[in-house]
Amino acid sequence: MMTAGDIIIPGTIASAASFIGMIFTYITGRSVRDLPLSTIRAAAQGPVALSGIAKPGKEGTIKARLTDKACLYYHLRITKESIDNDTTEIEDFNSTQSFLLDDETGQCTVSPKNANFFRQGMNITTWRGSKPDTQAPEDGHSSWGNYLFTETSLVSGTPLYVQGDFMDNTVAKPKGKHNNGAFIISTVSRKKLIKKELGTSIMLFTIGLAAALISVGTYLVCHGNLSFVLAH
């Protein structure tokens, strides 16, 4: 039999998680709105927001480990499903080799280590395998197995919005006095990113508020106080 705790506890957790997510999303969106877009030629040392085209750096492209595709950056996530359909994360890998950003006024280096990536629009490949190092099928069809692989890659020529700390013609994660600043690499434009973050904040607030109201309502009903609250 379901008890009040079965509703109140998950509802409280969901509400808290939604509000925390809303705050983080709002802060990210605020940082994008507050930092005006610059060109590479005019960029000053410190926090910077740039828009341009991703290109290979002096080290060239890299090859994704399990698809062998040439790219500038890739993210690989491997999970394992049990017989009971429980999912365990095996690996969450981000490549760290630098690449270039070109905005026609100049070029700068982007060091992707520890960046907050918005990967919408990147190339995504998913497949299954029976081992944690299963290569992606060459024919592009998903194979069988209890390991699930998801690879997201950034290829040369992709438009990017990059926000971070600009130093020695390199954009990287803010440090020192700027270490609280956002470090964003996004295939979504600045304008769409701001709109996306605002929409996400509103959605998370709505979910959190709904979960909180359900938890409070359940508590009051179970303690016989609902009629008193409604009367006042």
Side-chain angles (χ1 to χ4, degrees):
M1 177 182 288
M2 181 177 289
T3 65
D6 293 330
I7 300 176
I8 294 173
I9 294 175
T12 302
I13 294 173
S15 177
S18 295
F19 280 120
I20 291 172
M22 181 198 70
I23 293 171
F24 175 79
T25 303
Y26 174 79
I27 291 173
T28 301
R30 177 84 180 263
S31 73
V32 175
R33 290 196 304 271
D34 290 350
L35 192 59
L37 203 61
S38 175
T39 62
I40 294 174
R41 180 182 296 173
Q45 305 290 315
V48 70
L50 302 169
S51 181
I53 303 297
K55 294 185 176 181
K58 62 181 181 180
E59 296 175 317
T61 59
I62 58 177
K63 285 195 174 182
R65 192 170 82 225
L66 296 182
T67 62
D68 208 33
K69 292 180 180 178
C71 57
L72 304 180
Y73 155 87
Y74 74 95
H75 170 251
L76 175 64
R77 186 169 187 262
I78 304 173
T79 57
K80 182 180 181 180
E81 296 178 350
S82 68
I83 298 177
D84 300 325
N85 292 324
D86 292 328
T87 301
T88 303
E89 184 174 88
I90 304 299
E91 185 175 0
D92 190 84
F93 173 82
N94 288 279
S95 64
T96 58
Q97 180 173 297
S98 299
F99 54 86
L100 295 179
L101 185 72
D102 186 326
D103 72 352
E104 296 184 350
T105 72
Q107 293 183 335
C108 69
T109 300
V110 178
S111 176
K113 186 176 181 180
N114 296 321
N116 181 15
F117 275 90
F118 291 83
R119 303 184 181 93
Q120 180 181 335
M122 291 189 188
N123 296 330
I124 300 177
T125 304
T126 59
W127 70 98
R128 288 184 173 274
S130 58
K131 299 183 296 183
D133 58 352
T134 302
Q135 296 285 323
E138 294 183 3
D139 59 7
H141 293 91
S142 179
S143 53
W144 63 276
N146 58 336
Y147 287 92
L148 176 62
F149 304 83
T150 304
E151 181 191 283
T152 310
S153 59
L154 172 68
V155 297
S156 180
T158 303
L160 286 183
Y161 169 80
V162 178
Q163 179 177 324
D165 191 44
F166 191 70
M167 187 69 65
D168 298 327
N169 203 46
T170 299
V171 184
K173 180 176 175 60
K175 54 185 178 181
K177 64 180 181 180
H178 304 303
N179 63 356
N180 291 325
F183 182 27
I184 298 170
I185 298 177
S186 173
T187 52
V188 180
S189 68
R190 179 177 182 271
K191 183 178 180 180
K192 290 182 178 180
L193 192 60
I194 294 173
K195 185 177 180 180
K196 173 184 172 69
E197 294 299 281
L198 177 61
T200 302
S201 294
I202 294 173
M203 180 189 69
L204 290 173
F205 175 79
T206 304
I207 293 173
L209 182 60
L213 290 175
I214 291 172
S215 297
V216 171
T218 303
Y219 176 84
L220 293 175
V221 168
C222 292
H223 287 75
N225 293 325
L226 184 60
S227 58
F228 174 81
V229 173
L230 293 176
H232 291 74

